[in-house]
Amino acid sequence: MSAVLDAGFFQRWLATAASAVDREADRLTELDSAIGDADHGANMRRGFAAVAAALDAEPPGTPGAVLALAGRQLISTVGGASGPLYGTLLRRAGKALGDSAEVTPQALAEALDAGVAAVAQLGGAKAGDKTMLDALEPAVAALREGGAAAAARAAQEGAAATVPMLARKGRASYLGERSVGHKDPGAASAALLFAALAEVSA
Ligand code: ADP
Ligand code: MG
């Protein structure tokens, strides 16, 4: 990751994330068909397509404004639980970045940390509940310590670690014991977002 990150970097991150989500949408929906209602891929694809379109139409001038706009798009276009949750992640992180034209990787890690805390507060989930937080929390911790590549690995490992978990939040929790043995769709999509961050940071 370079020493300072500008609005263009954040724009590239979210555009890359949108492509990854589009490419992997069927896999996300397959995961959600096992323990949910088979719409996570479609939800994420719709939301991130709207994010990419909005950022293209009117590129914001600061990192904070890029994240805030993306968060608003997710909240307004995604019907499922993941829309408000990812929307909150990005809006809260955007707010934490303020209106600086350039931010440091450390500031990004701190902003995402605040965003993840807001997701936990909104959804009432904690680590081990088999949700997106099981990928987001280790990813942000690794981002702070080791940078974007480490964060992408941690998110991937966090998503894989949801397989044996019993779901305690969201639709998958209605399945009780039957949720065990499947990867959480939201943890899988969170891993895509950090893979995209690593890709644009390389
Ligand atoms: P829905 O569950 O409304 O169909 P999606 O399928 O788009 O929405 O997203 C499901 C994902 O959202 C889950 O796999 C999980 O990671 C995440 N999720 C659901 N509820 C919560 C919650 N309360 N806290 C954190 N993440 C949650
Ligand atoms: Mg669903």
Side-chain angles (χ1 to χ4, degrees):
M1 217 179 256
S2 45
V4 289
L5 312 169
D6 61 8
F9 172 88
F10 283 80
Q11 185 126 1
R12 288 195 297 283
W13 173 25
L14 294 174
T16 303
S19 306
V21 160
D22 185 57
R23 205 171 50 234
E24 299 288 332
D26 289 351
R27 185 172 65 85
L28 297 176
T29 284
E30 221 168 277
L31 295 173
D32 198 33
S33 71
I35 57 170
D37 57 352
D39 64 356
H40 190 56
N43 285 342
M44 293 295 287
R45 179 184 262 156
R46 184 181 332 109
F48 275 85
V51 167
L55 293 176
D56 260 355
E58 233 169 299
T62 66
V66 171
L67 294 186
L69 176 58
R72 286 200 301 277
Q73 289 297 320
L74 292 177
I75 290 169
S76 62
T77 60
V78 179
S82 58
L85 292 165
Y86 277 125
T88 295
L89 171 72
L90 297 184
R91 282 183 59 185
R92 183 67 190 83
K95 193 172 163 200
L97 290 178
D99 53 12
S100 321
E102 291 178 331
V103 301
T104 61
Q106 195 58 34
L108 171 59
E110 277 159 26
L112 288 173
D113 200 37
V116 170
V119 170
Q121 194 180 16
L122 176 65
K126 53 184 185 343
D129 284 348
K130 196 181 183 101
T131 71
M132 58 174 69
L133 285 174
D134 290 307
L136 292 172
E137 285 184 355
V140 171
L143 182 63
R144 202 188 277 275
E145 302 299 322
R153 276 195 303 278
Q156 186 98 50
E157 287 163 16
T162 64
V163 173
M165 290 176 185
L166 178 78
R168 298 189 194 283
K169 289 285 167 188
R171 268 176 212 287
S173 67
Y174 309 156
L175 294 177
E177 291 289 341
R178 280 185 294 137
S179 66
V180 172
H182 303 276
K183 186 186 284 189
D184 177 64
S189 58
L192 293 180
L193 304 189
F194 280 90
L197 182 64
E199 197 179 323
V200 298
S201 302

